Amino acid sequence: MRYVSTRDTKKNKTYVTPSEAICRGLAPDGGLYVPETIPTLDEENFRHISALDYVGRAAYVLSMFLDDFSEEELLTLCREAYSEENFPDGAEVTTTIKDGVFVLELWHGPTCAFKDMALQLMPRLFSAALKKIGETKTAHILVATSGDTGKAALEGYRGVPGVKITVFYPENGVSDIQKLQMTTQAGENVDVVAVRGGNFDDAQSGVKRIFADSAINRRLADAGVFLSSANSINWGRLAPQIVYYISAYCTLCGRGVIKYGDTLNVTVPTGNFGNILACFIAKKMGLPIGSLICASNQNHVLTDFLATGKYSKNREFYLTMSPSMDILISSNLERLLYFIAGADETCGYMSQLAGTGEYTVSSETYGAIRRDFVGYFANESVTAETIRQFYHEYGFLSDPHTAVALHAAQSFIGERGVEVPMLVCGTASPFKFAADVYSSITGCEKPDSISALGMLSELTGREIPMPLQRTLSAKVRFERSVCPDEMESIFSL
């Protein structure tokens, strides 16, 4: 399997191995690495995968994309990543909400967010890939986070030999618990920096700017350092996410909810478009997925794009109770455009986005996107009402991001009248956003974030997840902040 940049428009393209794509993160031309072809699953493959546990499923699927790893190597890495210690409830938890609607709870890992599903495995892939390509320099991982990725990446890369990681987060754009999780992170090779007066897009743009700065990269190379990424712009982060959609389909088949070949619709709350893109890739591999419902919060740039074909970041930015989706530049949309329209068209759109902040795709490309995707969004009041409704009517306790997806799923089902089963991606523990969840359920004024943990536990009878309990007593280690245009200053050579 060879990988190529989404912006490689040359006749003789530059290809890299899976390990090189994982280690580099971002292509030199600013594009994202994608596989030359998408492997396919047939019924025989599916029957084989269904008989395996999650570790076996992950190793099998990833071996189709990472063919410079042996399946035995991948099995070893997956056993470490998805161990009972990391995921005491199991890596994949599928909950029935009501007839035909299921939530895939992906947040039962060490940081209580779905990012753990990829970021417990990715550092292990990264470390093995460095050895495969003979890289001896220190890798400096740069991460921009809208909340959950930062902690999951810090925890995943903590103590990994030959790696340093720096996480940038918008100072006022994450929840108090998310901030506390990051700023108390243990580990000698980790660093956390707040971005003052900026949002996630500013942090993400700053990281991309650093990657593209040849002077910084030369200085780092002279010091024996190279840059890479743990955001979903890195293929090593996105590939493990493909697995849980395939596995969930197998699980629902095993429970008799569906049989192989039956269509399953999927709703995903998304900001950077990586999670839902992973589901799209699973569909292109042959998984019987029907509609992909893209759920956005009040920053509904993706909803508008899917409704019109025009993408524009030139709009008001909102801080919401679902901060991991407070994004106006959805990086992984570039990969979708490449898969549908190719490098030339994609490169043109990305150039327009950089220059004017917007682009409109061709009618052919838009038509192809609409065959798979539909978008809905929920503002703050709708999100709160959805949290309240699902708790009181179904006993389901939802975080705000999952609530956005539940609203989108209900809207889709109500409009289309379809009877196809719906899988909703559950992305975070409700206790990570306890104040908003408590206020949404009770209608009371929002309490402070720390007190809200105990209040939500007492209200619902649910235990505060142990990783969050430990965070409350941890010492803050990182208090540094920079302006968006000062992010390069973190390098001290």
Side-chain angles (χ1 to χ4, degrees):
M1 176 73 73
R2 301 188 300 177
Y3 286 76
V4 65
S5 169
T6 52
R7 302 185 193 181
D8 191 342
T9 59
K10 302 187 301 293
K11 183 177 180 180
N12 295 315
K13 297 184 182 299
T14 300
Y15 294 99
V16 299
T17 66
S19 290
E20 288 172 325
I22 291 171
C23 291
R24 290 183 183 182
L26 199 65
D29 59 10
L32 310 184
Y33 283 116
V34 290
E36 184 180 16
T37 59
I38 295 177
T40 57
L41 288 170
D42 58 22
E43 186 171 355
E44 183 179 349
N45 298 136
F46 180 82
R47 301 293 182 194
H48 174 74
I49 293 170
S50 295
L52 303 173
D53 61 8
Y54 192 85
V55 166
R57 291 172 181 178
Y60 185 89
V61 173
L62 289 171
S63 70
M64 303 175 78
F65 289 97
L66 310 178
D67 59 2
D68 54 355
F69 289 77
S70 70
E71 195 167 342
E72 190 56 44
E73 281 182 288
L74 291 170
L75 275 170
T76 298
L77 298 177
C78 290
R79 286 192 193 103
E80 295 172 357
Y82 303 118
S83 66
E84 185 176 353
E85 179 182 0
N86 287 334
F87 294 88
D89 298 323
E92 177 201 314
V93 178
T94 307
T95 301
T96 303
I97 298 297
K98 54 181 180 177
D99 289 345
V101 178
F102 307 88
V103 174
L104 177 61
E105 296 183 4
L106 298 168
W107 49 263
H108 292 269
T111 76
C112 301
F114 83 99
K115 309 294 176 75
D116 291 324
M117 297 295 292
L119 283 166
Q120 279 300 304
L121 180 59
M122 183 187 177
R124 293 169 167 84
L125 291 173
F126 187 86
S127 184
L130 288 175
K131 295 176 183 177
K132 288 182 183 295
I133 67 173
E135 182 59 74
T136 58
K137 297 190 202 65
T138 297
H140 193 143
I141 308 289
L142 298 184
V143 179
T145 184
S146 54
D148 288 334
T149 290
K151 174 60 179 179
L154 289 163
E155 188 64 28
Y157 279 96
R158 173 173 58 92
V160 173
V163 175
K164 180 178 179 180
I165 178 169
T166 300
V167 169
F168 295 97
Y169 71 93
E171 189 171 43
N172 297 313
V174 299
S175 75
D176 290 342
I177 294 297
Q178 288 174 316
K179 180 178 180 179
L180 196 59
Q181 281 188 300
M182 290 185 282
T183 57
T184 60
Q185 175 65 48
E188 296 302 313
N189 64 330
V190 305
D191 190 21
V192 179
V193 183
V195 179
R196 294 193 307 271
N199 55 38
F200 169 76
D201 293 321
D202 295 314
Q204 182 170 250
S205 296
V207 166
K208 289 182 177 180
R209 187 175 65 245
I210 293 170
F211 271 103
D213 191 315
S214 57
I216 288 178
N217 280 272
R218 282 195 301 270
R219 285 167 44 218
L220 290 171
D222 290 342
V225 177
F226 76 97
L227 297 176
S228 190
S229 172
N231 284 86
S232 57
I233 58 176
N234 190 314
W235 182 256
R237 158 77 184 279
L238 195 143
Q241 297 180 262
I242 300 168
V243 175
Y244 50 69
Y245 291 109
I246 295 172
S247 181
Y249 191 94
C250 293
T251 297
L252 291 177
C253 284
R255 287 168 52 178
V257 173
I258 54 176
K259 62 181 184 296
Y260 177 75
D262 288 349
T263 298
L264 179 69
N265 291 332
V266 180
T267 302
V268 184
T270 190
N272 218 16
F273 208 74
N275 198 3
I276 198 166
L277 181 72
C279 190
F280 170 80
I281 293 170
K283 179 177 181 178
K284 291 304 175 187
M285 292 176 72
L287 196 68
I289 300 295
S291 294
L292 291 164
I293 296 93
C294 179
S296 300
N297 66 11
Q298 199 161 342
N299 294 292
H300 47 81
V301 62
L302 287 168
T303 310
D304 291 349
F305 171 69
L306 293 172
T308 66
K310 179 180 179 179
Y311 190 98
S312 176
K313 67 170 186 173
N314 303 323
R315 59 180 65 215
E316 186 173 357
F317 179 84
Y318 297 98
L319 293 174
T320 73
M321 71 173 83
S322 49
S324 297
M325 299 160 68
D326 290 346
I327 295 172
L328 295 182
I329 303 175
S330 303
S331 290
N332 273 289
L333 191 58
E334 180 172 345
R335 281 189 169 113
L336 177 67
L337 294 173
Y338 175 87
F339 286 133
I340 289 175
D344 289 339
E345 201 170 310
T346 300
C347 201
Y349 296 143
M350 294 305 102
S351 179
Q352 291 174 49
L353 183 65
T356 67
E358 60 187 38
Y359 60 85
T360 301
V361 297
S362 68
S363 58
E364 294 80 8
T365 297
Y366 180 58
I369 291 171
R370 289 289 294 175
R371 282 194 286 273
D372 290 308
F373 292 90
V374 61
Y376 295 88
F377 79 95
N379 61 23
E380 292 292 87
S381 62
V382 170
T383 302
E385 172 57 25
T386 304
I387 292 171
R388 187 205 64 78
Q389 175 201 352
F390 274 80
Y391 179 70
H392 287 301
E393 292 186 15
Y394 307 109
F396 181 75
L397 191 60
S398 171
D399 84 284
H401 306 77
T402 306
V404 168
L406 289 167
H407 168 72
Q410 286 195 128
S411 298
F412 176 85
I413 293 169
E415 287 182 8
R416 306 294 178 97
V418 294
E419 297 182 357
V420 172
M422 175 69 75
L423 184 70
V424 177
C425 196
T427 55
S429 165
F431 284 92
K432 291 195 79 167
F433 309 92
D436 286 300
V437 173
Y438 180 87
S439 177
S440 298
I441 291 173
T442 63
C444 298
E445 184 176 346
K446 189 166 73 169
D448 73 85
S449 297
I450 304 304
S451 300
L453 286 163
M455 295 168 69
L456 184 62
S457 178
E458 183 176 357
L459 174 70
T460 63
R462 319 286 173 89
E463 290 188 5
I464 303 169
M466 187 54 65
L468 299 183
Q469 291 187 42
R470 287 194 293 264
T471 296
L472 296 178
S473 59
K475 181 181 178 181
V476 172
R477 298 181 61 210
F478 303 101
E479 299 180 301
R480 181 166 46 149
S481 65
V482 298
C483 294
D485 58 0
E486 297 174 341
M487 289 171 59
E488 292 87 344
S489 68
I490 62 110
F491 295 104
S492 56
L493 303 178

